[in-house]
Amino acid sequence: MPVTKFNHPDPYKYLTGFDSCHETEAVEGALPIGHNSPQKAPYGLYTEKLSGTAFTAPRHENKQTWVYRILPAAAHENFIAEDAGSYHMSMTTETDKLHHIPNQLRWNPFDLDEQVDFVHGLHLIAGSGDPTLKQGLGILMYAAGKDMGKEAFYSSDGDFLIVPQHGVLDIQTELGRILVRPNEICVIPRGIRYRVTLPDGPVRGYICEVYQGHYQLPELGPIGSNCLANVRDFQAPVAAFDDEEESEWKLYTKFNNSLFAARQNHTPFDVVAWHGNYYPFKYDLGRFNVIGTTSFDHPDPSIFTVLTAPSDRVGTAVADFVIFPPRWLVAENTFRPPWYHRNTMSEFMGLISGDYDAKVGGGFKPAGASLHNVMSAHGPDSGAFEGASNAELKPQKVGDGSMAFMFESSLMVGVSEWGLKTCQKVQPEYNEHSWTPLKRHFVNPNKKV
């Protein structure tokens, strides 16, 4: 793998490239030269290995990072389960608490919550599988209005793909700092500790957590070596650390979708240098290189896949992250919005900004969502169908000022109690408003008058 080395005092500088082996040090000479684990690390640091896969995983899948830190991550007190009554977070994925229903669902925009920080503003909407078996995924909303204090958080369950919809996240991770805005995404792998502050006030957004595997770029097949999300546009943080004397910190972990907390007497953010290919990263959705048809008919929406977390079955994903950015439609003799369809995959859609071209009836708003589960029929609402069926077919720019996305999964997704009832955002007449108004246009040429 290529190795990138960077040494810079600016904590918001980034290393570029996806799945590359990076080197970065906040103090020159903190990285050992020529070997991973010397008898004594430079500057009296501790050597620690962070493994994202089994040691014996195939070389092309193996993910690991060596960190050189002031004190080891193990130096904390025992974790204690947080009292569920003391925080708002609702993340259970117990089988008997998820509602598996075939109905199409749509949610009004989720509320902001200025009373909680990022950790305590997490709510599970839907999920499938079991984090204890490292199978499946969880789909969450976050809403927060407070900075985390002397606290850090990590998920033992899986990788967080964070999609901001409102506000800016300043994420201090063990491996460096990342600033994430709407129309950018951030992935924080399982086990990496971080702290979220809010430089621009309240925040809200979506998360897709995969319990198995990791996010990676999709294969391009006959597309070739370029387009979609290009390797060069992904950014990883440079090393940046806090050097402070003893102080009280609280460490949270999400473990089997429950929250635990431990105390420690030093900062978790004391990694002076690191090298490896297991790290958090961000991506600007505006850099996505859209491709599409230049003749007729529709390519499959998989051409809009930014990242995928593949299952054990080739070509099938635990989760695909798909976007619908501004783009030109130029096809001849073609109905332009997505076709009506039933899918063996489950489709959870969200809207960051603007309007989605297949939903013109006003019910799909930024910060809202929809879920079309396995084989639940869906497609353009009646207004979108009538408009597109009668529109002049000429090159057309769609999605200006808009960004919709989809978490797509091969798994049947259950809806949490919070998502179905507690949040009080489900639209009870989604189906009726979207598809009941569709009119019959069929003229039977064999029918005698």
Side-chain angles (χ1 to χ4, degrees), residues 44-63:
L45 298 171
Y46 285 87
T47 303
E48 182 174 279
K49 185 179 182 182
L50 182 61
S51 296
T53 56
F55 302 138
T56 51
R59 183 183 292 268
H60 70 281
E61 296 178 1
N62 209 298
K63 290 189 174 291

Side-chain angles (χ1 to χ4, degrees), residues 137-161:
L137 80 163
I139 296 171
L140 304 97
M141 287 294 301
Y142 70 84
K146 291 183 176 180
D147 292 343
M148 292 175 65
K150 287 203 165 185
E151 301 163 319
F153 170 75
Y154 69 95
S155 176
S156 301
D157 293 341
D159 291 13
F160 268 31
L161 190 162

Side-chain angles (χ1 to χ4, degrees), residues 174-340:
E174 295 178 88
L175 305 186
R177 301 187 79 114
I178 300 177
L179 196 68
V180 192
R181 310 167 183 87
N183 275 2
E184 296 179 326
I185 61 168
C186 175
V187 172
I188 308 215
R190 182 198 310 265
I192 289 181
R193 299 172 179 182
Y194 59 100
R195 172 178 175 266
V196 179
T197 55
L198 316 177
D200 261 358
V203 295
R204 175 178 55 197
Y206 311 81
I207 296 170
C208 187
E209 181 179 24
V210 289
Y211 306 146
Q212 66 191 88
H214 301 286
Y215 286 104
Q216 62 186 54
L217 291 173
E219 297 295 340
L220 294 179
I223 294 174
S225 58
N226 297 298
C227 291
L228 309 188
N230 289 306
V231 170
R232 64 180 180 268
D233 292 325
F234 287 82
Q235 298 178 301
V238 300
F241 68 99
D242 292 339
D243 183 10
E244 59 180 40
E245 300 298 329
E246 284 193 11
S247 59
E248 187 75 17
W249 281 78
K250 196 169 189 178
L251 177 63
Y252 292 105
T253 183
K254 178 177 174 289
F255 198 90
N256 191 24
N257 280 316
S258 295
L259 192 65
F260 292 79
R263 294 187 303 173
Q264 63 182 59
N265 63 359
H266 60 94
T267 175
F269 306 109
D270 63 354
V271 174
V272 179
W274 61 267
H275 61 95
N277 66 348
Y278 191 62
Y279 45 75
F281 58 87
K282 65 177 276 188
Y283 175 74
D284 179 353
L285 299 180
R287 299 188 180 197
F288 188 80
N289 191 347
V290 181
I291 64 172
T293 183
T294 55
S295 56
F296 62 89
D297 214 343
H298 284 263
D300 291 319
S302 48
I303 62 167
F304 301 116
T305 301
V306 180
L307 292 169
T308 184
S311 71
D312 296 333
R313 184 176 178 82
V314 175
T316 305
V318 176
D320 285 329
F321 175 61
V322 179
I323 64 172
F324 302 97
R327 61 202 182 278
W328 282 94
L329 298 180
V330 298
E332 295 179 329
N333 304 318
T334 298
F335 177 75
R336 297 291 173 82
W339 57 84
Y340 294 97

Side-chain angles (χ1 to χ4, degrees), residues 36-48:
N36 283 331
S37 186
Q39 182 180 15
K40 289 185 178 180
Y43 302 113
L45 298 171
Y46 285 87
T47 303
E48 182 174 279

